[in-house]
């Protein structure tokens, strides 16, 4: 009887390995080897299993390298998952702002009739800020030190300062304050369900002003409870937090 039971368990284990290989592999592969297994599957073109292993690694809390982000985008491109392709390309762009990557994202989104990826003034300002912001800030701070030194010397010598110069200095320091407090990057998200309702108010009972499909991008300007306040198509709306991936 015991031998019969053992045979049944062996048979079930064999059937599970044959018909559910991804589940068996994910349970048997140690966390620190998930990347190696995913890369191996990627090299042979097993896109579905490779993407599952890459995402399992992310869930396990392992850091995601830049090449891995591009590989994940490729695996989902091969599977036809446009939304996830754009998501991983956007995460890569956030780390490494580059005009070529921005244009690729825009072209890919436009080919799939998705909105929010246009290469407008905001995107180019963000690109410029991320690439040269540190140098501009350094120049402005040095200029501020110079201006302050000039004012200090004038004050010590009891020399008058013209109203025009005072106004110019005030404007400069206001601009410097704004620049210093600019966020490292504005928050944005990509819709992850087939129907995402944009509402006028943060309530499920509020009127639906518009509907977005999966893969569209929205800019986030605030939050209220389970709702994001987003800017899309030059208007402000509210959408549920669980309907977008934060970039």
């Amino acid at each position: 009887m015991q031998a019969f039971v053992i045979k049944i368990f062996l048979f079930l284990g064999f059937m599970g390995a044959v018909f559910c290989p991804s589940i068996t592999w994910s349970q048997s592969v140690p966390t620190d080897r998930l990347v190696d297994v995913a890369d191996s599957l990627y090299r042979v073109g097993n896109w579905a299993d490779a993407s599952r292993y890459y995402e399992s690694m992310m869930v396990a809390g392992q850091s995601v390298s830049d090449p891995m982000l591009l590989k994940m985008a490729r695996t989902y491109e091969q599977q036809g998952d446009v939304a996830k392709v754009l998501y991983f390309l956007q995460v890569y762009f956030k780390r490494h702002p580059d005009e070529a990557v921005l244009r690729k994202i825009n072209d890919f989104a436009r080919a799939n009739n998705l909105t929010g990826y246009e290469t407008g003034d905001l995107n180019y300002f963000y690109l410029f800020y991320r690439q040269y912001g540190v140098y501009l800030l350094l120049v402005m701070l040095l200029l501020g030190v110079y201006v302050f030194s000039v004012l200090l010397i004038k004050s010590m010598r009891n020399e008058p300062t013209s109203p025009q110069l005072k106004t110019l200095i005030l404007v400069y320091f206001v601009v410097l304050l704004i620049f210093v407090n600019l966020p490292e990057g504005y928050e944005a998200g990509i819709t992850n369900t087939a129907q995402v309702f944009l509402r006028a108010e943060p309530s499920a009972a509020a009127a639906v002003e518009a509907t977005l499909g999966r893969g569209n991008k929205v800019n986030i300007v605030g939050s209220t409870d389970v709702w994001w306040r987003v800017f899309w198509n030059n208007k402000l709306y509210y959408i549920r937090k669980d309907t977008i991936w934060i970039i």
Side-chain angles (χ1 to χ4, degrees):
M1 183 64 182
Q2 290 180 344
F4 178 70
V5 173
I6 292 173
K7 288 180 180 180
I8 291 177
F9 276 108
L10 288 174
F11 174 75
L12 291 175
F14 173 76
M15 296 300 289
V18 172
F19 293 103
C20 301
S22 61
I23 296 176
T24 305
W25 294 348
S26 62
Q27 291 176 344
S28 60
V29 176
T31 303
D32 58 354
R33 289 203 61 245
L34 287 173
V35 180
D36 296 333
V37 175
D39 286 342
S40 299
L41 292 167
Y42 178 88
R43 283 192 291 270
V44 299
N46 190 340
W47 311 116
D49 285 329
S51 61
R52 278 197 292 270
Y53 273 103
Y54 283 130
E55 294 225 20
S56 295
M57 185 205 63
M58 293 176 64
V59 171
Q62 294 193 34
S63 60
V64 180
S65 64
D66 297 335
M68 197 180 303
L69 289 173
L70 297 178
K71 288 178 181 178
M72 294 176 82
R74 174 100 190 280
T75 61
Y76 283 113
E77 184 176 3
Q78 295 298 320
Q79 297 175 75
D81 194 332
V82 176
K84 286 205 170 182
V85 173
L86 290 168
Y87 171 75
F88 288 112
L89 286 178
Q90 282 283 173
V91 174
Y92 180 85
F93 174 74
K94 189 174 183 178
R95 292 186 183 181
H96 302 284
D98 180 81
E99 186 174 355
V101 178
L102 182 63
R103 289 190 177 278
K104 178 177 174 60
I105 292 171
N106 177 50
D107 292 342
F108 192 78
R110 186 168 50 187
N112 289 277
N113 298 316
L114 297 173
T115 60
Y117 301 92
E118 296 79 13
T119 53
D121 294 337
L122 179 60
N123 282 326
Y124 276 110
F125 172 76
Y126 175 67
L127 177 64
F128 181 81
Y129 174 70
R130 289 295 305 275
Q131 286 182 325
Y132 306 109
V134 174
Y135 305 107
L136 287 174
L137 180 60
L138 181 60
V139 170
M140 292 183 72
L141 287 174
L142 290 174
L143 183 59
V145 171
Y146 171 76
V147 171
F148 180 78
S149 300
V150 170
L151 289 177
L152 182 62
I153 292 172
K154 279 180 171 288
S155 176
M156 293 175 64
R157 294 177 177 176
N158 295 321
E159 295 180 1
T161 303
S162 66
Q164 295 84 358
L165 181 58
K166 289 181 178 180
T167 303
L168 185 62
I169 292 171
L170 179 61
V171 170
Y172 163 78
F173 278 109
V174 170
V175 172
L176 178 61
L177 183 64
I178 294 173
F179 192 81
V180 168
N181 287 281
L182 279 175
E184 187 64 18
Y186 63 86
E187 275 203 303
I190 295 176
T191 54
N192 59 24
T193 59
Q195 277 191 324
V196 177
F197 300 120
L198 282 71
R199 302 181 186 274
E201 299 294 334
S203 169
V208 176
E209 301 286 332
T211 304
L212 291 178
R214 191 170 185 265
N216 291 282
K217 180 184 172 185
V218 293
N219 292 320
I220 299 170
V221 297
S223 67
T224 302
D225 196 20
V226 298
W227 301 89
W228 288 120
R229 193 182 190 199
V230 302
F231 185 75
W232 180 78
N233 200 23
N234 296 322
K235 292 183 179 179
L236 291 171
Y237 301 98
Y238 290 91
I239 63 175
R240 285 187 60 88
K241 289 183 177 181
D242 58 359
T243 59
I244 63 172
W245 296 313
I246 300 297
I247 297 170

